[in-house]
Amino acid sequence: MRVEEYINKQLRRRKLHFPLIDPDPGKNSIEKIRRIAEMLEEFGSDAVLVGGSTGVEERSLDRAIAAIKKHFTKPVILYPGSAQGISRRADGILFMSLLNSSDPLWISGMQAAGAPAAKKYKIEPLPMAYLIVEPGMKAGEVGKAKLLRKADEAVSYALAAQYMGMRFVYLEAGSGAYKTVPDEMIRSVRKETDVKLIVGGGIRDAETAKQKLRAGADIIVTGTVLEDSGAERIRSIVKAIHGFKSK
Ligand code: 1GP
């Protein structure tokens, strides 16, 4: 089954959890990645995102994905930090444009640089707008984002994304954010668009995940909590997300 078809099928039943693993060997050893993948398989996360950092070599990425796939049976999706973040071993790629960047490199330049590799490796592209919301953290800085603050700004970009044919919108507060994407912003984007809505940045517990789902998120991304917290915390986040049935 194609990755997007799998996501849509799951979403007809309930909301989804996409944990994010940083493949940078300086941050996560292969042994640690293997352990995380094993745990995520047990807890039932719906897909693993791999990426985040800029400048991760293809070889490290290949190794990380191979380790994940040994234990995790659902799709592994690239979340590229640059055009180099592409591995032939991935099932899909969040083919994203940072629509609220002030630099065309992040809107279409990296995409043009990376598209031929995605085609050559036959990785399924998931067309997505990446919208960075304050505080934005490193993603906001690197991507030269004009950080979104108001709900109506986010709606304008999300609607533009939908009209340009993107089927996913990711509202990103930035990894390690001290403030998550505001519920009001999520609610407005949910109300005004038909896209699949991904929300991440600063979500560290089940209660916050539920709050974002209640506001209208379809898919919750968690990164930092995987590396910093114990298994029980992650289990409770996945359980809370899976408790949300689709209407
Ligand atoms: C980063 O939104 C993701 O791109 C995850 O953020 O690390 O804060 O969970 P956290």
Side-chain angles (χ1 to χ4, degrees):
M1 192 191 295
R2 308 258 301 161
V3 177
E4 189 169 351
E5 200 184 324
Y6 160 78
I7 294 172
N8 289 337
K9 186 168 165 235
Q10 295 295 87
L11 277 177
R12 282 196 280 277
R13 297 193 294 135
R14 56 166 171 75
K15 309 282 182 143
L16 311 184
H17 178 231
F18 284 10
L20 167 66
I21 297 180
D22 192 329
D24 184 346
K27 291 187 188 149
N28 287 317
S29 66
I30 285 295
E31 180 49 29
K32 184 165 181 195
I33 291 176
R34 198 189 62 69
R35 274 202 315 270
I36 294 175
E38 215 168 4
M39 179 178 74
L40 296 171
E41 175 72 12
E42 188 197 326
F43 296 166
S45 294
D46 302 285
V48 163
L49 300 183
V50 183
S53 291
T54 41
V56 176
E57 278 179 34
E58 195 177 323
R59 231 161 2 128
S60 315
L61 200 55
D62 284 347
R63 264 204 300 267
I65 296 178
I68 295 166
K69 287 195 157 218
K70 252 191 215 139
H71 301 279
F72 189 78
T73 52
K74 291 170 192 156
V76 175
I77 302 171
L78 295 172
Y79 169 67
S82 71
Q84 280 76 52
I86 298 180
S87 159
R88 67 184 75 223
R89 293 178 187 260
D91 302 303
I93 177 168
L94 294 179
F95 206 88
M96 57 167 99
S97 173
L98 205 182
L99 288 187
N100 63 321
S101 175
S102 57
D103 184 345
L105 178 70
W106 299 101
I107 303 171
S108 60
M110 283 290 185
Q111 294 72 5
K119 182 175 169 74
K120 185 170 88 187
Y121 296 154
K122 298 193 175 66
I123 310 170
E124 182 185 336
L126 304 168
M128 186 186 91
Y130 190 50
L131 302 180
I132 306 189
V133 178
E134 72 166 353
M137 311 306 280
K138 193 157 170 241
E141 264 172 55
V142 174
K144 300 202 177 79
K146 295 173 280 180
L147 300 177
L148 298 177
R149 293 187 171 85
K150 296 193 189 126
D152 61 342
E153 293 172 331
V155 168
S156 297
Y157 276 105
L159 205 50
Q162 179 177 322
Y163 290 168
M164 287 193 279
M166 296 167 182
R167 295 186 288 275
F168 297 85
V169 165
Y170 188 151
L171 294 176
E172 165 77 282
S175 186
Y178 49 85
K179 203 169 84 174
T180 53
V181 176
D183 298 352
E184 174 55 23
M185 188 181 276
I186 298 171
R187 244 191 312 274
S188 302
V189 172
R190 169 77 301 142
K191 183 162 170 270
E192 303 296 338
T193 70
D194 302 315
V195 294
K196 301 287 180 289
L197 191 52
I198 308 172
V199 174
I203 300 174
R204 298 189 187 85
D205 54 55
E207 202 37 60
T208 312
K210 281 201 267 187
Q211 206 182 307
K212 304 303 151 192
L213 295 170
R214 249 181 252 125
D218 294 307
I219 300 171
I220 296 290
V221 176
T222 59
T224 310
V225 78
L226 286 184
E227 292 161 22
D228 293 0
S229 305
E232 281 320 304
R233 170 72 66 97
I234 297 149
R235 188 197 296 274
S236 70
I237 293 176
V238 183
K239 197 166 161 233
I241 295 171
H242 285 173
F244 262 79
K245 306 294 171 211
S246 298
K247 286 181 194 132

